[in-house]
Amino acid sequence: MQDIDRRHFLASAAATGTLLASPPKLFAQNSMTAMPQIAVADLTSGSNVPYAMDLRTGSHNFGTGAATDTFGINSDYLGPLVKVRRGQEVQFDVTNNIGELTAVHWHGLHIPGDVDGGPHQSIQPGATWSLVLTIDQPAGLNWFHAHTHGHTMPQVYKGLAGLLLIEDDDSIAADLPKTFGVEEFAVVLQDKHLRCGWKSDSND
Ligand SMILES: [Cu+2]
């Protein structure tokens, strides 16, 4: 398989999320391949049912014409944009179906260490980590990602990452365009260097 160097990283369009049921299609410049779209999980109305996050294996064509092994969260590659509101308690069931040890860290959230999801909170293959996050910070875009001891980089590169958007009274009241996929977009960019034979356990 041909290498893709950094010059082509934007053109090769590793990943992008456009956030609407039928957003305009974005295309990778070199291949005219439609970029993948990530789903929106709007949890702002609240629920007694935990939001299930299925960490799983998948494959994706990054413009090389070949299928590359990936990880995803409720998806072949990457995870959803999870939308929450300040003051909410949000329940998650995070299930590890990637066949290797992992952990999921909530990047940017002001939360206690026992739900932070660092390497001290590994999720064994086949296991489910159930937790409740209390959202108590201003509006902003945060994210979640694998934070596995010794394997964070390969697992995030392969797709274990998603977005967490916090809304609050101010952001909701703000006179700003906010219709996802029409006036507001979230884009995930990943730098890719694709080679034959690369394995997720080569943590370099
Ligand atoms: Cu982080």
Side-chain angles (χ1 to χ4, degrees), residues 35-83:
M35 289 177 164
Q37 293 162 8
I38 60 176
V40 177
D42 187 345
L43 309 184
T44 55
S45 57
S47 171
N48 291 326
V49 180
Y51 178 67
M53 293 178 48
D54 177 23
L55 278 51
R56 60 180 174 86
T57 59
S59 69
H60 183 73
N61 173 7
F62 288 99
T64 62
T68 297
D69 290 343
T70 53
F71 291 146
I73 301 170
N74 300 344
S75 164
D76 263 7
Y77 175 55
L78 295 171
L81 178 143
V82 177
K83 195 171 170 185

Side-chain angles (χ1 to χ4, degrees), residues 6-31:
R6 283 168 193 263
R7 262 187 320 116
H8 295 99
F9 124 77
L10 279 173
S12 66
T16 179
T18 58
L19 305 173
L20 193 71
S22 55
K25 277 193 162 49
L26 299 177
F27 292 91
Q29 287 179 12
N30 62 340
S31 65

Side-chain angles (χ1 to χ4, degrees), residues 49-154:
V49 180
Y51 178 67
M53 293 178 48
D54 177 23
L55 278 51
R56 60 180 174 86
T57 59
S59 69
H60 183 73
N61 173 7
F62 288 99
T64 62
T68 297
D69 290 343
T70 53
F71 291 146
I73 301 170
N74 300 344
S75 164
D76 263 7
Y77 175 55
L78 295 171
L81 178 143
V82 177
K83 195 171 170 185
V84 298
R85 186 168 178 161
R86 186 174 193 173
Q88 272 192 298
E89 289 193 342
V90 190
Q91 305 175 65
F92 293 93
D93 283 344
V94 183
T95 300
N96 176 3
N97 287 317
I98 65 167
E100 61 186 73
L101 196 72
T102 193
V104 173
H105 166 63
W106 312 96
H107 187 116
L109 293 200
H110 302 176
I111 50 176
D114 62 357
V115 288
D116 189 55
H120 61 299
Q121 288 175 312
S122 298
I123 312 169
Q124 296 290 333
T128 296
W129 180 39
S130 297
L131 71 150
V132 179
L133 296 181
T134 300
I135 309 299
D136 185 19
Q137 65 191 83
L141 182 62
N142 301 272
W143 64 303
F144 47 93
H145 61 85
H147 204 321
T148 316
H149 178 68
H151 293 267
T152 294
M153 182 276 283

